[in-house]
Amino acid sequence: MKVFITRIIPEAGLRLFREAGIEITQWEEKRELTQQELIDHCKQADALLTAGRSTINAAFLKECSHLKAVSLFAVGYDNVDVPEATRLGIPIGHTPDVLSKATADIAFLLMQNTARKAFFHHKRILNGDWNFFEPMANIGLDLQGKTLGVFGLGKIGFEMAKSCKGAFEMDILYHNRSQNAEAEEKLQAKKVSFEELLAQSDVISVHANLTEETKGLFNKETFGKMKPNAIFVNTARGAIHNEEDLLEALQQKTIWGAGLDVTNPEPMDKDNVLLSLPNVAVLPHIGSSTEETRNNMAILAAKNAIAGIRNERLPKVVNPEVYESKKS
Ligand code: GLV
Ligand code: GLV
């Protein structure tokens, strides 16, 4: 039995494959595989473990319908044609829960850095621009007692809300399709309409999946409904915001600032004007990037792939419907 892995991943996951007697092939080049290279490698494998942004589309799945699992080293699965995988009986695994706190920490960090213009001040020092004290120059905003609006309150959004409540006694609003009873009970979070979230939040933090409904949802119109002192934070997927509209909203002071761990496109061009604005903090998609979290992701992704190879149910499966349609 064989697994193909599209990146070098932590030993904690590789060990599980070895213990299960599964042969590992890892892609070690520092570039994304072409679709054809991915197909060629998967033809030799029983399961695919994919990290990075490989597109698992219908054409790929058709070529590789023999795969017993596609295991994502990620929680998000917008790069996968899930209905097609389900139709072909291929279970898709992902890594929820284990990365929730680390990702929420990056949202929290971006919120604070934006509010205090920390990345900008760091750049000032690097540029030799640490001049005399000016009480009015480049000042930030307080977060104490402000209102956080969580767009998509799942596990990551919950952790962000908990940190904001604990550190700054922020009031928590959220917009979700379903109610989150735990957040309402433990954090006194209040479910509101999307319009209310936009109008009432001092910080809006995006933690939703990228879907047809959320694509481009934060745009000229919706930024226009936010408070002029609002900070927009996105650690979910860059395509949920329109980046040209975001730049315009910041330049015209429609909103106050933005903290992004995800951009549109990725990578962001180094000359992007957003990077020069004092009220903007950008990170290169490092939400889950801690030693502990990446180890835990490797373990869970390996467990998903191994279960697939053994014809067992994946511990964290995106498309459980596959078990209803599949004859065992
Ligand atoms: C990262 O973006 C993930 O989906 O885990
Ligand atoms: C996924 O987006 C989550 O909130 O866990």
Side-chain angles (χ1 to χ4, degrees), residues 17-93:
F17 285 115
R18 285 194 216 98
E19 285 167 7
I22 294 164
E23 192 183 314
I24 300 163
T25 307
Q26 279 189 109
W27 179 255
E28 297 189 352
E29 283 185 47
K30 271 188 110 176
R31 63 173 177 88
E32 198 69 63
L33 294 108
T34 65
Q35 189 82 348
Q36 193 55 49
E37 286 168 333
L38 184 65
I39 290 170
D40 291 345
H41 279 92
C42 286
K43 293 258 190 220
Q44 318 293 320
D46 302 285
L48 167 65
L49 194 161
T50 171
R53 300 297 297 155
S54 300
T55 305
I56 309 299
N57 57 16
F60 168 83
L61 291 165
K62 182 164 173 261
E63 289 286 333
C64 297
S65 59
H66 67 284
L67 288 174
K68 297 171 99 178
V70 173
S71 172
L72 310 176
F73 190 91
V75 64
Y77 46 85
D78 49 286
N79 57 325
V80 181
D81 186 337
V82 177
E84 186 61 13
T86 305
R87 205 182 63 75
L88 293 167
I90 304 172
I92 307 293

Side-chain angles (χ1 to χ4, degrees), residues 181-252:
E182 190 187 4
E184 295 195 2
E185 191 197 314
K186 294 191 178 152
L187 308 173
Q188 292 78 52
K190 191 172 155 223
K191 185 167 183 272
V192 294
S193 69
F194 186 51
E195 296 291 318
E196 287 171 306
L197 192 88
L198 295 173
Q200 295 174 22
S201 304
D202 298 302
V203 176
I204 292 200
S205 192
V206 177
H207 300 283
N209 289 325
L210 172 62
T211 63
E212 281 310 313
E213 283 167 19
T214 61
K215 191 173 177 184
L217 189 60
F218 288 89
N219 55 32
K220 188 180 171 72
E221 189 195 335
T222 45
F223 289 130
K225 292 176 178 172
M226 288 165 59
K227 289 186 179 180
N229 74 341
I231 293 174
F232 175 74
V233 177
N234 191 354
T235 54
R237 284 293 179 267
I240 298 176
H241 65 251
N242 179 313
E243 214 149 280
E244 282 162 27
D245 290 0
L246 176 62
L247 175 61
E248 192 184 293
L250 290 164
Q251 286 175 325
Q252 298 185 352

Side-chain angles (χ1 to χ4, degrees), residues 74-76 99 237 285 297:
V75 64
L99 49 59
R237 284 293 179 267
H285 203 147
M297 289 168 72

